[in-house]
């Protein structure tokens, strides 16, 4: 793509967060260690060195195993080991805790310029100037184990780059072919057979990187270009050509959204892989840049240079200044969440319904429709609302659902009716819970229920003023069939004779014959406050 066609937000000069000095040769590799507080570098001086990111100082002594130049390093997936490739053709496995070589694989006849781990950490892949690629079994107990496969004769005169696909089924190789075209070759990891040949670069391929989703392969070449390839059809999808010098290294951020590249033009560049455009201004270095890598979180970038220096750069600050903070997020994770939610049935959201205690509207005059079919409404005339608020709810007495935290409150809100008060009943007579009294003890509801009887002195007034009951039998002789008792007890009639038990209950609540019983009458404001509490959605379980 042409630089004039790219519109980007220019940023101020970018400065490094830390500088590491000490190597006496070119730094060919720089990677972040777990925890984000250390990096490790390899160099042409034959050493590996660990550095403190905060102070910039070296930690411990140099890691050495001979004097051979170390061309490449790679960190194991578990973060406990490092593999390196050297000019003596050996592939070495280092333990990070002991800083020692734990395994050494030989087989290549020339320098090893590229090493790579499989995603499961069980294999190591190496590419050499001898034109071959080899796989090594990490867990083998042998000191010098044989490779899993015979070496792959790649056809490259020199192999500069090797990489596993994320699913470990494919191997990509790149290098010098001694011709005008320098193709990338893709191999079956198990059989070693050639799968695809990708043509486009006009000079040798120095580095390869695969996105974690396996859909894109990125290559960089000495022809100063970076190219991306669709691994479904192996077609080239983009060419990034902003660098003016040889491109020596590339790295992809952990979320697959940012590409970093370094070049002989003394710059490092960041690219937006979503649209293929550069991010911010180039990151300037004093000399040509040889290698690059992202930290585990993608917020820091390590670069290595000629003449032995390495640097740390704050990617989060660069993106923030460029107004592209979102490139640190992972859109795939959000998309996955949306896809999972899309497979679920839609959730029916019902607005909360404020319910009032059962029987609160029993005093509302009946309409033309039956009580069963009439919908419940929270809109009442003012007089009815006030009368229900400060009056008695008849059905509260026969509430037979499991007890709730507001049962005692409703009992306080139901004062006894006066002797002259009219009783309006709709439907069948509500049963009442018989409450026995015992000296020194509080009232407790009894499990047995009986039908409420009119008090003796109420019979005369109530019989003349009570409206006829709907669907109720008018003859006392048939009361047993129309109103069955809730418990196993003798049938009762509607005659004026009240059983002794009813007399005792009435006398207990209307006369001071039992001094141990105290009835508390709640005040108007107390009733109002408790009524408001009954409307809370907390008690909308269908039992109130």
């Amino acid at each position: 793509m042409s630089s004039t066609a790219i519109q980007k937000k220019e940023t101020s000069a970018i400065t490094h967060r830390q500088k590491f000095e000490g190597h006496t040769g070119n730094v060919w590799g720089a990677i972040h260690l777990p925890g984000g507080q250390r990096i490790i570098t390899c160099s042409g001086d034959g050493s590996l060195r660990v550095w403190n990111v905060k102070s910039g100082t070296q930690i411990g002594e140099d890691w050495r195993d001979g004097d051979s130049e170390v061309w490449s390093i790679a960190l194991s997936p578990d973060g406990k080991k490092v593999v390196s490739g050297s000019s003596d053709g050996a592939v070495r496995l280092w333990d990070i805790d002991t800083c020692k070589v734990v395994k050494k694989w030989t087989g290549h006849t020339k320098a090893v310029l590229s090493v790579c781990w499989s995603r499961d950490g069980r294999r190591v892949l190496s590419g050499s100037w001898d034109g071959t690629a080899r796989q090594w079994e990490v867990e083998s107990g042998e000191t010098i184990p044989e490779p899993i496969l015979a070496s792959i004769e790649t056809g490259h005169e020199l192999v500069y780059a090797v990489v596993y696909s994320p699913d470990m089924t494919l191997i990509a190789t790149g290098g010098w072919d001694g011709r005008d075209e320098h193709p990338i070759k893709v191999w079956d990891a198990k059989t070693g057979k050639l799968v695809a040949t990708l043509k486009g670069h006009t000079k040798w391929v120095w580095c390869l990187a695969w996105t974690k989703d396996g859909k894109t392969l990125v290559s960089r070449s000495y022809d100063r270009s970076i190219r991306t390839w669709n691994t479904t059809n192996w077609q080239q999808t983009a060419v990034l050509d902003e660098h003016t010098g040889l491109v020596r290294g590339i790295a992809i951020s952990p979320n697959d959204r940012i590409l970093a590249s370094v070049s002989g033009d003394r710059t490092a560049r960041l690219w937006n892989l979503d649209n293929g455009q550069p991010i911010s201004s180039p990151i300037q270095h004093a000399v040509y840049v040889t290698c690059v890598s992202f930290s585990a979180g993608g917020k820091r970038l390590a670069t290595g240079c000629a003449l032995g220096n390495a640097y740390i750069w704050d990617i989060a600050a660069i993106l923030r200044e460029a107004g592209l903070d979102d490139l640190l997020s992972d859109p795939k994770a959000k998309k996955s969440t949306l896809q999972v939610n899309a497979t679920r049935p839609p959730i029916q959201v019902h607005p909360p319904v404020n319910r009032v205690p059962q029987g609160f509207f029993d005093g509302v005059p009946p309409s033309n429709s039956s009580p069963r079919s009439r919908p419940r409404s929270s809109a009442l005339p003012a007089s009815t609302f006030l009368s229900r608020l400060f009056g008695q709810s008849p059905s509260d007495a026969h509430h037979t659902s499991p007890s709730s935290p507001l049962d005692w409150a409703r009992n306080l809100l139901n004062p006894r009716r006066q002797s002259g008060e009219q009783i309006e009943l709709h439907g069948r007579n509500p049963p009442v819970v018989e409450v026995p009294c015992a000296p020194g003890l509080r009232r407790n509801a009894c499990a047995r229920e009986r039908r409420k009887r009119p008090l003796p002195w109420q019979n005369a007034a109530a019989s003349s003023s009570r409206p006829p009951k709907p669907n109720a039998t008018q003859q006392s002789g048939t009361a047993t069939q129309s109103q069955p008792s809730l418990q196993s007890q003798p049938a009762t009639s509607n005659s004026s004779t009240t059983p002794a038990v009813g007399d005792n209950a009435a006398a207990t609540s209307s006369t001071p014959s039992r001094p141990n019983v105290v009835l508390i009458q709640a005040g108007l404001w107390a009733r109002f406050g408790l009524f408001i509490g009954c409307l809370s959605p907390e008690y909308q379980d269908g039992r109130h």
Side-chain angles (χ1 to χ4, degrees), residues 100-177:
K100 300 295 183 181
V101 174
V102 294
K103 288 183 182 179
K104 182 178 179 180
W105 297 300
T106 59
H108 288 296
T109 59
K110 293 184 179 180
V112 176
L113 268 68
S114 178
V115 290
C116 173
W117 286 86
S118 64
R119 196 166 189 174
D120 61 4
R122 298 177 60 185
R123 301 177 185 178
V124 167
L125 178 65
S126 60
S128 169
W129 275 1
D130 63 9
T132 66
R134 295 176 182 258
Q135 297 183 79
W136 311 89
E137 181 65 54
V138 175
E139 299 301 328
S140 174
E142 301 178 16
T143 304
I144 307 177
E146 292 297 322
I148 299 171
L149 300 172
S151 61
I152 301 175
E153 297 294 338
T154 64
H156 306 298
E157 292 189 13
L158 306 174
V159 177
Y160 283 112
V162 291
V163 63
Y164 273 115
S165 64
D167 61 5
M168 302 177 296
T169 61
L170 300 174
I171 293 172
T173 63
W176 168 265
D177 282 29

Side-chain angles (χ1 to χ4, degrees), residues 4-222:
T4 58
I6 299 175
Q7 296 180 354
K8 59 181 181 294
K9 180 178 179 179
E10 294 294 334
T11 57
S12 57
I14 301 170
T15 58
H16 56 263
R17 294 294 180 178
Q18 193 55 264
K19 181 178 180 180
F20 310 96
E21 299 178 286
H23 280 297
T24 57
N26 296 341
V27 175
W28 295 116
I31 55 178
H32 298 261
L33 293 179
Q37 301 303 314
R38 299 174 297 167
I39 67 168
I40 185 171
T41 57
C42 69
S43 170
D45 62 13
S47 70
L48 283 74
R49 303 189 187 199
V50 179
W51 308 86
N52 185 305
V53 171
K54 186 175 181 180
S55 64
T57 57
Q58 182 176 337
I59 300 174
E61 299 296 326
D62 297 357
W63 297 11
R64 290 184 180 272
D65 184 51
D67 297 327
S68 300
E69 187 173 1
V70 184
W71 282 95
S72 61
I73 53 174
L75 180 68
S76 65
D78 63 7
K80 296 180 179 180
K81 299 178 180 66
V82 169
V83 64
S84 66
S86 303
S87 60
D88 62 359
V91 178
R92 293 173 173 85
L93 185 66
W94 302 78
D95 183 277
I96 292 178
D97 293 333
T98 63
C99 311
K100 300 295 183 181
V101 174
V102 294
K103 288 183 182 179
K104 182 178 179 180
W105 297 300
T106 59
H108 288 296
T109 59
K110 293 184 179 180
V112 176
L113 268 68
S114 178
V115 290
C116 173
W117 286 86
S118 64
R119 196 166 189 174
D120 61 4
R122 298 177 60 185
R123 301 177 185 178
V124 167
L125 178 65
S126 60
S128 169
W129 275 1
D130 63 9
T132 66
R134 295 176 182 258
Q135 297 183 79
W136 311 89
E137 181 65 54
V138 175
E139 299 301 328
S140 174
E142 301 178 16
T143 304
I144 307 177
E146 292 297 322
I148 299 171
L149 300 172
S151 61
I152 301 175
E153 297 294 338
T154 64
H156 306 298
E157 292 189 13
L158 306 174
V159 177
Y160 283 112
V162 291
V163 63
Y164 273 115
S165 64
D167 61 5
M168 302 177 296
T169 61
L170 300 174
I171 293 172
T173 63
W176 168 265
D177 282 29
R179 295 183 295 272
D180 293 337
E181 290 186 348
H182 300 270
I184 300 165
K185 297 182 180 181
V186 182
W187 311 84
D188 186 291
K190 291 183 178 180
T191 64
K193 293 182 178 180
L194 184 64
V195 174
T197 300
L198 315 181
K199 297 181 179 181
H201 286 295
T202 58
K203 291 187 178 181
W204 59 92
V205 177
W206 185 263
C207 189
L208 296 169
W210 224 304
T211 57
K212 289 185 177 180
D213 60 11
K215 297 179 180 180
T216 304
L217 179 66
V218 183
S219 61
R220 60 93 172 175
S221 167
Y222 269 33

Side-chain angles (χ1 to χ4, degrees), residues 362-364 394 417 422-426 466-467:
D362 287 349
V364 179
R417 294 184 182 274
Q422 294 183 354
I423 302 175
E424 296 181 359
L425 298 178
H426 299 278
R466 180 182 303 165

Side-chain angles (χ1 to χ4, degrees), residues 405-473:
L406 291 180
D407 285 344
W408 66 273
R410 281 196 292 272
N411 291 336
L412 290 179
L413 292 176
N414 292 328
R416 289 183 49 79
R417 294 184 182 274
Q418 301 299 323
S419 59
E421 184 178 359
Q422 294 183 354
I423 302 175
E424 296 181 359
L425 298 178
H426 299 278
R428 63 187 182 88
N429 292 330
V432 297
V433 178
E434 184 177 348
V435 182
C437 299
L441 299 177
R442 298 171 62 92
R443 284 179 179 266
N444 294 312
C446 180
R448 186 166 62 88
E449 296 184 355
R450 292 179 58 85
R451 191 171 307 285
K452 186 174 182 179
R453 301 291 184 183
L455 298 178
W457 55 81
Q458 290 179 322
N459 289 337
S463 61
S464 60
S465 59
R466 180 182 303 165
K469 297 186 296 179
N471 304 325
T473 306

